[in-house]
Amino acid sequence: MEKRVKTLTTIIAVALVAISLPVHAQNYPVRPVRAIIAFPAGSGTDVIGRIVTQKVSEYWGQQVVADNRGGAGGSIASAIVAKASPDGYTLLINSSAHAVNPSFYAKLPYDTLKDFIDIGLIAIQANVLIVPNGAPFKSLQDFLKAARAKPGSLNFAFAGVGSGTHLNNVKFAMDANARFTDVAYKGSGEAILDIIGGRVDAYFTPISAGIGYIQGGKVRALAISTAKRSAQLPSVPTIAESGVPGFDYALWFGLWAPAGTPAEVVGKISKDFTRALEDKPTLDKATTLGNEFNIMTPPVFAKFVRQQVQEFAKVVKAAGIKPQ
């Protein structure tokens, strides 16, 4: 009799677990969700992350709490999410740094391709090469002429080792046949302030982080990193048309969850973030800041991330940089 009771109890427990999964996804979320943003306040990742999560909060009736955990090129935030409970209540918003980090760090505290579920691409945007207003460079040609005349004499800021801006620096220096002295910052906010103060010579700022300073006349924009000009900064030429033929580099932002997060929950997150990216007021606000969109399903985004990891590794290897 006791054996039968135990067997019946086991069957009921298994049945309840099976039933609870879709119900959990249907009701998700029942409490606030924490979105770990991989770069500090004011960064490109932070700006687009907050715009989208604000809209998703409205859909869910639960707050999506933005939690900035900048540092180490975004890998600190990635490590936090990799170790979080896979229940959908801790998400990662990172830039292309998530795919760059494996090439710059010899040993990360997580596996980029195994410890996360790739949910979707949030946005894509160009970086803008900015310099202090007091700098003698009026164009990219002036900047490169000075850099080539005295290799290593110009200080180039970037938002942490392994960040998207770091890779932009590496690719630019390699393609432009120039050498700079790199200076690491935690994020765009700090780097831009030092550009304004004339304490560093140049920085590739994400448009969303730097457009206000550019339009406000606080810094000088020399060139756009992508193959085409930005609709928000139409007078700023591309790097390719300014002396480095074929140059094209874009920064992108994505959404991840810890590996093991239930598929039903991932599906709901993907659906509602996509809905937010299709909301016209949200879209207009983000577009004004230089963002472009290419919505991807989780499987398509997973393939994209793996392709980017491989592409970034080729750039770093070609530049002769060894992982730290």
Side-chain angles (χ1 to χ4, degrees):
M1 182 66 179
E2 182 179 349
K3 184 176 181 180
R4 289 181 179 177
V5 171
K6 288 183 177 179
T7 302
L8 182 59
T9 301
T10 301
I11 292 174
I12 292 173
V14 171
L16 287 174
V17 169
I19 293 172
S20 68
L21 286 177
V23 171
H24 172 69
Q26 186 177 358
N27 294 336
Y28 169 89
V30 296
R31 65 177 190 271
V33 174
R34 186 166 66 138
I36 305 295
I37 298 180
F39 289 88
S43 64
T45 311
D46 175 71
V47 172
I48 187 62
R50 288 177 184 272
I51 289 174
V52 178
T53 55
Q54 182 178 2
K55 192 62 184 179
V56 173
S57 294
E58 294 178 17
Y59 296 153
W60 287 349
Q62 294 286 348
Q63 187 177 7
V64 181
V65 182
D67 185 357
N68 297 84
R69 295 300 183 95
S75 63
I76 289 177
S78 293
I80 292 172
V81 175
K83 298 172 184 176
S85 176
D87 55 12
Y89 288 92
T90 304
L91 304 176
L92 171 67
I93 295 178
N94 203 341
S95 72
S96 42
H98 189 64
V100 175
N101 285 163
S103 297
F104 279 101
Y105 292 96
K107 189 175 182 181
L108 290 167
Y110 56 83
D111 188 310
T112 302
L113 303 181
K114 294 180 180 179
D115 292 342
F116 303 88
I117 291 179
D118 310 281
I119 298 178
L121 184 69
I122 295 177
I124 304 171
Q125 65 177 254
N127 285 328
V128 189
L129 177 58
I130 59 173
V131 297
N133 277 334
F137 323 117
K138 304 300 182 181
S139 66
L140 183 65
Q141 291 92 334
D142 291 342
F143 182 73
L144 288 176
K145 183 177 180 181
R148 291 164 180 161
K150 295 183 179 180
S153 62
L154 297 180
N155 296 320
F156 221 125
F158 64 95
V161 174
S163 66
T165 57
H166 188 188
L167 189 72
N168 199 154
N169 284 13
V170 170
K171 181 174 172 55
F172 176 68
M174 182 170 62
D175 290 5
N177 190 30
R179 183 162 61 85
F180 306 94
T181 297
D182 288 333
V183 182
Y185 288 81
K186 286 186 177 181
S188 293
E190 294 181 354
I192 293 172
L193 287 178
D194 272 6
I195 286 287
I196 293 172
R199 291 179 288 276
V200 66
D201 297 308
Y203 177 56
F204 272 115
T205 176
I207 286 184
S208 59
I211 192 168
Y213 298 99
I214 295 169
Q215 294 177 336
K218 294 183 179 299
V219 297
R220 181 183 302 149
L222 297 185
I224 296 286
S225 69
T226 47
K228 65 178 183 179
R229 293 194 183 198
S230 167
Q232 283 66 44
L233 298 170
S235 65
V236 180
T238 66
I239 291 174
E241 64 183 292
S242 301
V244 188
F247 190 88
D248 184 16
Y249 179 86
L251 187 67
W252 53 264
F253 310 98
L255 179 69
W256 291 265
T261 301
E264 296 86 356
V265 173
V266 171
K268 181 170 177 57
I269 295 170
S270 173
K271 177 182 177 181
D272 290 334
F273 268 80
T274 296
R275 182 182 169 195
L277 293 173
E278 293 175 338
D279 172 73
K280 192 176 186 308
T282 301
L283 193 63
D284 290 345
K285 184 176 182 180
T287 301
T288 300
L289 294 172
N291 292 287
E292 297 181 4
F293 303 90
N294 182 11
I295 293 174
M296 297 180 183
T297 61
V300 173
F301 183 53
K303 183 178 180 180
F304 172 78
V305 170
R306 281 151 183 75
Q307 290 173 337
Q308 290 288 281
V309 169
Q310 294 176 356
E311 288 300 315
F312 294 155
K314 291 177 183 178
V315 173
V316 173
K317 183 177 180 180
I321 297 175
K322 294 182 178 179
Q324 296 187 7

